[in-house]
Amino acid sequence: KYLTIRWIKQIFSWREIEGPEKGMYIWDQADRVVNDIESRGMYTLARLSIAPFWSRPGSLDSHAPPYNYQDLADFCGVLADRYKGRIRAYQVWNEPNLAREWGGQPPNPADYTRLLAGCYTAIKAVDPDAIVISAGLAPTGTDTAEAMPDEKFLRGMYQAGASKYFDMLGVDAP
């Protein structure tokens, strides 16, 4: 028997697409990826992360969220509009329960929920059939300013109202 793979998860670097300045998009690589995946009869799951430098003046940390979460939401809406029906799912950010993936800041489930909510709303406004997936959380038992246990972070997300802002829960396996 053969394994049938139908989905490809690909990082869609915000910095590579809207890197030069807000509202200036470079679609070449993203178009190639979507076209290639489609040509193979597969579905695209886009992981959205890596903020452009303009969204974090003074910071060179590529894993930090933007200072203004609306900037990412705007990008999500433009991306979803361009690839409506072609990108089937969007995962918003990566491992926000780790400081190294959250700009060196202590993990904050309420802040991540605000980021997720903006993206969910923007994506669903233009492509209501798209699947929005929360960030995969790093499996960790560490509870410091550097890392928050995934279960604790998830509880914090739910307390902040995150259940309204994703269709699937993202999980990173240990």
Side-chain angles (χ1 to χ4, degrees):
K1 293 190 175 201
Y2 295 96
L3 176 66
T4 301
I5 298 173
R6 301 290 304 169
W7 288 83
I8 298 289
K9 180 178 176 181
Q10 176 68 41
I11 295 173
F12 277 66
S13 168
W14 179 21
R15 179 182 300 159
E16 289 180 16
I17 297 171
E18 193 181 15
E21 64 185 62
K22 185 168 176 69
M24 181 180 286
Y25 303 98
I26 301 168
W27 296 110
D28 301 353
Q29 180 66 21
D31 285 348
R32 278 193 297 276
V33 167
V34 172
N35 290 337
D36 189 42
I37 292 171
E38 279 183 331
S39 74
R40 298 170 192 280
M42 302 171 87
Y43 305 124
T44 304
L45 187 168
R47 190 186 95 190
L48 309 176
S49 58
I50 309 175
F53 295 120
W54 61 260
S55 74
R56 293 193 51 80
S59 172
L60 298 179
D61 187 343
S62 64
H63 298 292
Y67 290 137
N68 179 356
Y69 293 172
Q70 186 61 47
D71 288 333
L72 179 58
D74 293 344
F75 170 72
C76 288
V78 169
L79 185 73
D81 188 50
R82 181 176 183 87
Y83 297 109
K84 182 178 180 177
R86 298 181 69 201
I87 292 180
R88 302 275 183 104
Y90 299 86
Q91 183 175 23
V92 180
W93 221 253
N94 184 57
E95 298 182 336
N97 63 319
L98 300 179
R100 72 172 184 250
E101 296 284 340
W102 199 244
Q105 305 165 68
N108 186 318
D111 279 350
Y112 172 69
T113 297
R114 283 191 287 282
L115 182 83
L116 177 64
C119 291
Y120 178 92
T121 302
I123 291 166
K124 292 293 191 171
V126 295
D127 190 355
D129 295 328
I131 300 165
V132 177
I133 305 168
S134 65
L137 301 177
T140 180
T142 303
D143 195 357
T144 66
E146 298 301 313
M148 182 182 289
D150 44 346
E151 298 94 351
K152 181 178 178 181
F153 194 91
L154 184 58
R155 280 193 301 275
M157 285 174 57
Y158 272 90
Q159 289 167 355
S163 64
K164 299 180 290 199
Y165 300 113
F166 62 89
D167 302 308
M168 295 179 73
L169 176 66
V171 176
D172 286 352

